[in-house]
Amino acid sequence: MMINIRHANVEDAQEILELQKLAYQSEAIIYNDWSIPPLTQTLEEIKEEFTENTFLKACEPDKIVGSVKVSINNENYEIGRLIVHPDLQGKGIGTQLMQAVEAEFPMAKRFELFTGSKSVRNIHLYEKLGYKIFTRKQLSELVELVFMEKYQQ
């Protein structure tokens, strides 16, 4: 599969949002919570995020099949909304996107991300890439988040 990873821009917002809503359905099922922010986000909200965040997209020749967002908060590089089309999960696209983020910001000393505590596949991927859990936070009665970090040399 030929995947090309490059910067996304605000013109990609609609396609990324549609993919995000598709990809996060599996999370909603795990937590029995269809009100999670990735599923309720509006087009205006995601377009606003393009002004202060870096988005990378994974593309097949004719469509976006994955995406990830990075925000810089002081010296913290916060990775969010890693998504891959459900039909293509488990094929290394998420790994390629994460590696592209780390390559994009070689000056970063620390990357941070979070996922749900029941999202075993996500946690496994991040641990495989060198991320370690450093704290947990109860988001709601149904959802506990695990926060993970990785330090770069």
Side-chain angles (χ1 to χ4, degrees):
M1 182 183 317
M2 190 61 218
I3 298 294
N4 183 348
I5 296 179
R6 56 185 185 269
H7 280 255
N9 56 44
V10 74
E11 287 77 33
D12 298 314
Q14 177 76 47
E15 191 174 355
I16 289 172
L17 182 62
E18 288 170 11
L19 179 61
Q20 172 180 300
K21 291 187 181 217
L22 186 63
Y24 269 91
Q25 288 179 20
S26 61
E27 294 294 294
I29 291 167
I30 289 171
Y31 297 98
N32 192 28
D33 184 355
W34 293 86
S35 67
I36 57 176
L39 293 179
T40 61
Q41 186 172 34
T42 66
L43 182 58
E44 292 72 32
E45 289 168 344
I46 197 170
K47 282 182 174 179
E48 181 67 27
E49 289 184 343
F50 274 87
T51 62
E52 294 186 5
N53 300 282
T54 299
F55 281 79
L56 298 180
K57 60 184 177 179
C59 301
E60 284 185 332
D62 60 338
K63 66 178 182 175
I64 297 172
V65 296
S67 176
V68 66
K69 172 180 83 170
V70 182
S71 60
I72 303 167
N73 185 357
N74 296 321
E75 304 226 341
N76 271 337
Y77 288 71
E78 298 171 356
I79 300 170
R81 304 274 165 91
L82 175 67
I83 54 172
V84 175
H85 191 286
D87 294 345
L88 300 173
Q89 290 175 5
K91 300 187 184 311
I93 297 168
T95 297
Q96 290 176 52
L97 281 162
M98 291 293 290
Q99 290 169 338
V101 164
E102 292 175 11
E104 179 76 19
F105 300 103
M107 73 298 278
K109 291 179 175 56
R110 179 177 177 269
F111 291 102
E112 180 180 315
L113 55 83
F114 65 85
T115 191
S117 62
K118 296 179 191 170
S119 303
V120 177
R121 289 180 65 195
N122 297 354
I123 293 169
H124 176 74
L125 168 66
Y126 300 137
E127 286 178 338
K128 192 175 76 177
L129 294 170
Y131 288 77
K132 294 184 178 8
I133 296 172
F134 70 92
T135 194
R136 294 171 179 267
K137 178 179 165 190
Q138 202 66 37
L139 185 63
S140 69
E141 196 175 301
L142 299 171
V143 181
E144 179 190 47
L145 298 178
V146 292
F147 288 78
M148 303 179 77
E149 64 187 354
K150 179 180 181 179
Y151 288 90
Q152 289 205 126
Q153 279 27 322

